Amino acid sequence: MKLKFKFLPLFILISFVNVACSQKTEDGMPIAEREELEFSIPTEKLAIKLDTLFTGLQNPWGMTWLENEKMLITERKGEILIFEDDKFTGQKVQGLPAMYVNGQAGLLDIIPHPDYSQNGWIYISYAKAVPGGGATSIARFKLNGNQVTGFEDLIVTVPAWNGGTHYGSRIVFDKDNFLFFTNGERGSQNNAQNLTNSHGKIHRIKDDGTIPSDNPFVNSPNAIKSIWTYGNRNPQGMIYDQATNRIWSVEHGPQGGDELNLIEKGKNYGWPVITYGINYNGTPITNITEKEGMEQPVHYWTPSIATCGMTLVTSDRYPEWKGNLLVAALVKQHIARIELNGSDFSKEEKLFQNIGRVRQVSQSPDGYLYAITEGTGLLVKMIPAR
């Protein structure tokens, strides 16, 4: 008798699901599928259900996953929140150093080493307190449980800056385990064209912080040896495309002129000599948008959407979006889906308008897309509605 009652509810549940899935609406769509679509958000190519996983974020910046399915999210004030199975554990990483928290400066991006399973290294970009102000630093550490061990700064940008404007900063690794990181020009325009300082540049180092011998300016007198590109205003998004061995970046323009750029060795991306933006008071920055020896953006936004973190969709879970870039928009509070034709811009779609100031969009190891916002303080997961 106990066995009969034990299995009866399961039998009833299976029967109910089968009936619901077999019943159809007037247009021939199964009822279960129709109900799923009613709770999803339509886009040009597929419908998405936004699963809100957490609502307590303040000023999140970076997000990543470790091999044990832990998700780590950085807060600019200097904290790393720990999630497991899409739930906040209530735990935070312990033992991080004090940071220079000022405006846009603080704890920024986070990423594990490509060989994390063998070496355990986790990399962060953060604003380090130094004499004279703050400096964007790339550091690495390991975790023993939730405790930081072996923390070391690998490279610290120069000169120090007393202020909280335009610190960047994103980190990516390429197929050869070289580390690239972005660093803003601190709101001082001339920094970006000056190879004797670190600001307004994208940099390339080895995973131990040493300088690769084939960096473009290693033999240039007085140049910062880690520089890979220059003339970058404030790049806060970057992604590496392993299939094509390309690096894409987005950077903030002033008033107008946010840019999507294909990042290539030694190239000058023009700021502030050329730009499609103007000063915040409406006056011109320059009267030209093109110049020989300076790169044109693959795409630009006028007015600015305030570009931030980005990801490349490679997951089979979103075949309609595969190969697209998803770019976070802070001021315009949406995610921009960018279709490419090789290395050329094709078209753009705005997703999830007014979701909040989107800081980062990331793809998890199991192929799902996530986004974090400030203002609304959300961690959301994008689930295709099929």
Side-chain angles (χ1 to χ4, degrees):
M1 184 65 69
K2 289 183 180 179
L3 288 177
K4 290 181 181 178
F5 282 106
K6 181 177 181 180
F7 288 101
L8 183 58
L10 181 58
F11 171 76
I12 293 172
L13 177 61
I14 292 173
S15 299
F16 175 77
V17 171
N18 286 339
V19 169
C21 289
S22 63
Q23 291 179 338
K24 298 181 183 294
T25 60
E26 291 182 2
D27 60 3
M29 178 178 287
I31 288 177
E33 187 174 339
R34 170 63 66 194
E35 289 176 345
E36 182 179 62
L37 287 173
E38 286 176 352
F39 289 96
S40 63
I41 300 171
T43 74
E44 289 179 3
K45 292 192 171 180
L46 76 163
I48 293 289
K49 294 190 297 180
L50 284 183
D51 188 2
T52 302
L53 306 177
F54 188 65
T55 60
L57 298 175
Q58 296 177 10
N59 297 110
W61 196 281
M63 61 192 306
T64 196
W65 288 261
L66 305 182
E67 62 172 2
N68 56 4
E69 298 185 356
K70 281 186 179 179
M71 175 199 289
L72 304 179
I73 295 179
T74 61
E75 285 274 9
R76 197 164 63 229
K77 62 184 177 182
E79 297 179 343
I80 301 177
L81 282 60
I82 301 173
F83 292 74
E84 291 184 4
D85 298 322
D86 287 346
K87 298 179 179 64
F88 179 45
T89 63
Q91 302 297 311
K92 300 175 183 177
V93 170
Q94 303 297 312
L96 291 167
M99 300 181 185
Y100 180 76
V101 180
N102 181 359
Q104 298 170 14
L107 178 55
L108 304 173
D109 208 10
I110 185 167
I111 188 172
H113 192 283
D115 299 324
Y116 174 81
S117 59
Q118 285 78 47
N119 60 36
W121 285 117
I122 299 170
Y123 292 72
I124 59 171
S125 58
Y126 77 103
K128 179 181 177 67
V130 295
T136 302
S137 174
I138 303 299
R140 67 179 181 178
F141 60 89
K142 297 182 179 182
L143 284 178
N144 181 7
N146 296 345
Q147 183 67 39
V148 168
T149 64
F151 187 95
E152 56 180 330
D153 287 303
L154 302 181
I155 185 170
V156 180
T157 59
V158 292
W161 210 263
N162 186 16
T165 302
H166 297 182
Y167 273 72
S169 172
R170 293 291 169 190
I171 311 170
V172 298
F173 282 96
D174 72 2
K175 63 182 178 61
D176 299 313
N177 292 350
F178 289 113
L179 183 154
F180 296 77
F181 71 95
T182 70
N183 185 37
E185 37 73 287
R186 300 298 192 268
S188 182
Q189 296 179 359
N190 294 333
N191 281 339
Q193 293 293 322
N194 183 354
L195 295 178
T196 66
N197 72 56
S198 303
H199 309 315
K201 319 291 194 307
I202 293 176
H203 299 261
R204 176 183 183 245
I205 60 176
K206 294 182 180 180
D207 59 1
D208 63 357
T210 56
I211 305 299
S213 60
D214 60 343
N215 271 9
F217 303 106
V218 289
N219 297 317
S220 300
N222 303 318
I224 301 295
K225 309 306 180 187
S226 59
I227 294 173
W228 187 252
T229 68
Y230 63 111
N232 305 103
R233 185 174 182 265
N234 186 27
Q236 289 189 344
M238 186 165 59
I239 191 70
Y240 173 67
D241 181 356
Q242 187 167 5
T244 61
N245 194 33
R246 291 172 176 157
I247 292 177
W248 293 93
S249 176
V250 288
E251 65 179 69
H252 290 273
Q255 184 168 299
D258 292 355
E259 295 182 359
L260 168 66
N261 288 308
L262 182 60
I263 299 302
E264 296 180 314
K265 178 179 180 178
K267 291 192 173 179
N268 181 352
Y269 289 82
W271 176 257
V273 180
I274 59 173
T275 179
Y276 288 90
I278 59 175
N279 283 310
Y280 294 107
N281 63 6
T283 60
I285 294 169
T286 174
N287 60 359
I288 59 173
T289 56
E290 298 182 27
K291 186 175 182 179
E292 186 177 355
M294 296 184 177
E295 299 304 302
Q296 281 292 295
V298 173
H299 179 58
Y300 66 91
W301 288 268
T302 299
S304 293
I305 64 172
T307 54
C308 202
M310 63 189 299
T311 197
L312 173 70
V313 182
T314 61
S315 170
D316 290 333
R317 297 187 187 276
Y318 312 84
E320 300 90 341
W321 289 356
K322 204 165 185 179
N324 295 177
L325 298 173
L326 298 184
V327 178
L330 290 165
V331 170
K332 295 301 183 181
Q333 299 190 38
H334 67 261
I335 296 171
R337 182 180 65 85
I338 306 295
E339 293 184 18
L340 299 168
N341 181 11
S343 59
D344 297 323
F345 172 83
S346 178
K347 64 176 295 187
E348 175 182 1
E349 179 188 12
K350 295 179 181 179
L351 305 175
F352 319 128
Q353 186 64 59
N354 298 322
I355 191 176
R357 289 170 52 86
V358 186
R359 179 60 70 179
Q360 173 68 317
V361 189
S362 297
Q363 182 177 288
S364 68
D366 63 355
Y368 280 105
L369 295 167
Y370 294 71
I372 49 179
T373 71
E374 58 185 29
T376 51
L378 303 178
L379 166 64
V380 298
K381 183 176 184 178
M382 303 174 213
I383 303 175
R386 303 295 183 189

